[in-house]
Amino acid sequence: MTPLLTGIRVVEISSIVLGPFAGQILADLGADVIKVEPPGGELARSVHPTEGAGMSAMFLNNNRNKRSICLDLKSEGGRAVLARLIADADVLLHNMRVDAITRLGFGFSAVKAINPRIIYCSAIGFGQDGRYRDRPAFDDVIQAASGLAMLPAHAGGEPSYVPSVIADKVASLYAAYGILAALAARERGTVEAVEVEVPMFESLVSFLLNEHLAAATFGAAPEGAGYHRLFSRNRKPYRTRDGWVAVLPYTGEQWRRILEEIGRADVIAQSWFADAGERSRRVDELYGIVAAAIPGRTTGAWLETFARLDIPHSRVNDLDDLLVDPHLADVGFFAPGGQAQAGAARALRQPVLYRDAPAADDRGAPRCGADTAAILAALGYAPEEVRRLAAEGSIGMDGEG
């Protein structure tokens, strides 16, 4: 943990990855993130694989450094506790449908009335000003709607999903920086309350079209949108004699080196080769020339060759290879810290380093309701009030949900 946001309190009402990942980024930066969970805990706690009741790998990897309070928001008592939490918070982060959280009494206008300086972040499926506003949204649906699932078809394959919850995570990153920007503006006195809307659909479209808007940037594009280099059928990991390797010559000099290495000086001699635009237009042909040469040597031999030629390259790792990657070991990427208490042998550290900034130990992801009693006490609830709320089912404590 890097406690740069010490003193900032975030109330997070979210589940699975969209919302929790954003909240974890803020928690890793030292914010006091209070995760509001329903009775029994949020859904990610039960996603396979798990280590003990309610402590799945997905939950552990999206909820470290947070505190958990279990509230039944369908009850009057649970909603009253949430209102008191909000009154003392800097940020409310949720990934509920807008109509659903509004029905509970915690839409932006209602929350602003409770706390006029609140930063209110809605991480949702679709922007509320558009016709898709009420559609349900999960990662696969957003991958399809955004054009991501169709990209493999441009390279000769079939539409397919990226095997990662990429839409959730991209939107979570936008949510985290949106919250931080609003907090900075509020601290400067530029604004007070701010509603930050982060739709998954628009977030992933923006992320993809950064390069794929391409010729459409300038108006009509007869060939359609798309960065055509990425659609080359020969842009892929290359099979070596004993495995797979990735290599990306990009500059003219890098292309010259690799073509000389594989005995294709005849390509370098072509009149078009010296022109960057022509190389770009013929990139599928160039990739094909490289692909044809790669099977002649082992992966290790190619890695040594590409290092000598100073051309970007890598072994093609599988997920399990990352667990023993020497560079990740050098930088201490897998360190269980507080997660070891939940049975985790590995945890993913924050990838961004803040050198010369203070540091603190991470805390493991909390059990559902583990911090309910302490949070209520800090809000001023007397012990008998806490017992009453627990008896009526408005709150859960110590993992009981």
Side-chain angles (χ1 to χ4, degrees):
M1 182 194 302
T2 307
L4 300 176
L5 295 181
T6 299
I8 298 295
R9 175 163 292 174
V10 178
V11 175
E12 177 200 307
I13 313 171
S14 65
S15 61
I16 309 297
V17 176
L18 177 62
F21 185 40
Q24 180 173 269
I25 292 169
L26 301 176
D28 284 348
L29 292 173
D32 177 20
V33 178
I34 298 175
K35 184 177 182 70
V36 177
E37 300 191 66
E42 68 121 311
L43 186 58
R45 287 185 179 275
S46 61
V47 175
H48 179 78
T50 64
E51 179 69 30
M55 300 300 277
S56 72
M58 177 178 284
F59 186 83
L60 292 180
N61 290 326
N62 287 285
N63 291 282
R64 65 173 171 259
N65 292 321
K66 300 179 185 178
R67 297 193 287 162
S68 171
I69 184 171
C70 178
L71 300 177
D72 181 0
L73 296 182
K74 296 178 181 178
S75 71
E76 183 178 345
R79 292 192 298 273
V81 172
L82 179 58
R84 286 175 69 166
L85 271 175
I86 290 170
D88 193 39
D90 296 284
V91 178
L92 174 65
L93 165 64
H94 78 86
N95 69 342
M96 297 177 65
R97 290 200 201 182
V98 172
D99 288 347
I101 198 166
T102 300
R103 285 195 301 270
L104 286 174
F106 297 100
F108 175 63
S109 297
V111 169
K112 183 179 177 181
I114 297 170
N115 183 341
R117 299 186 75 246
I118 196 73
I119 305 302
Y120 184 102
C121 182
S122 301
I124 53 180
F126 299 91
Q128 294 300 287
D129 295 328
R131 65 190 65 195
Y132 304 158
R133 68 183 305 274
D134 295 323
R135 289 186 181 182
F138 287 96
D139 200 273
D140 291 359
V141 172
I142 299 301
Q143 288 198 36
S146 68
L148 176 61
M150 188 59 74
L151 290 182
H154 288 276
E158 293 185 347
S160 61
Y161 298 129
V162 174
S164 174
V165 286
I166 191 167
D168 282 58
K169 290 184 286 188
V170 166
S172 287
L173 293 171
Y174 281 111
Y177 89 61
I179 289 168
L180 292 172
L183 282 169
R186 194 191 67 180
E187 294 307 304
R188 291 198 311 269
T190 308
V191 298
E192 289 212 347
V194 179
E195 183 176 13
V196 181
E197 181 179 290
V198 185
M200 294 169 68
F201 177 53
E202 289 93 315
S203 294
L204 195 54
V205 169
S206 175
F207 190 80
L208 293 177
L209 290 186
N210 176 275
E211 76 276 20
H212 282 300
L213 192 59
T217 302
F218 307 109
E223 69 272 29
Y227 179 23
H228 79 280
R229 183 184 76 80
L230 305 186
F231 297 154
S232 166
R233 298 186 183 196
N234 290 309
R235 175 186 174 264
K236 58 187 178 181
Y238 300 126
R239 185 183 289 277
T240 68
R241 186 179 296 171
D242 60 355
W244 299 87
V245 70
V247 60
L248 180 58
Y250 198 81
T251 68
E253 177 60 23
Q254 289 169 349
W255 275 114
R256 183 190 62 75
R257 290 183 211 137
I258 195 169
L259 290 169
E260 287 179 345
E261 178 70 27
I262 64 177
R264 292 302 307 269
D266 59 303
V267 178
I268 302 170
Q270 298 296 313
S271 59
W272 55 264
F273 181 80
D275 184 273
E278 285 300 312
R279 286 199 309 275
S280 178
R281 278 185 280 275
R282 294 171 178 257
V283 74
D284 188 59
E285 176 185 345
L286 288 168
Y287 286 160
I289 291 169
V290 172
I294 296 298
R297 304 182 193 177
T298 65
T299 298
W302 278 121
L303 294 176
E304 291 178 3
T305 297
F306 297 145
R308 171 171 53 82
L309 298 176
D310 195 26
I311 296 174
H313 66 281
S314 177
R315 183 187 306 276
V316 179
N317 287 323
D318 200 353
L319 297 177
D320 285 337
D321 295 325
L322 300 177
L323 306 182
V324 293
D325 183 275
H327 174 85
L328 294 178
D330 291 342
V331 301
F333 189 78
F334 297 107
Q339 298 287 52
Q341 300 167 7
R346 295 181 182 86
L348 310 177
R349 74 155 171 81
Q350 186 183 115
V352 180
L353 294 181
Y354 300 86
R355 301 191 188 277
D356 298 323
D361 292 336
D362 284 330
R363 300 189 308 275
R367 296 188 64 80
C368 180
D371 305 289
T372 299
I375 292 169
L376 291 177
L379 290 174
Y381 281 84
E384 58 271 19
E385 292 180 282
V386 174
R387 288 192 292 270
R388 176 182 59 78
L389 289 169
E392 69 186 26
S394 295
I395 64 170
M397 296 188 291
D398 299 326
E400 298 173 0

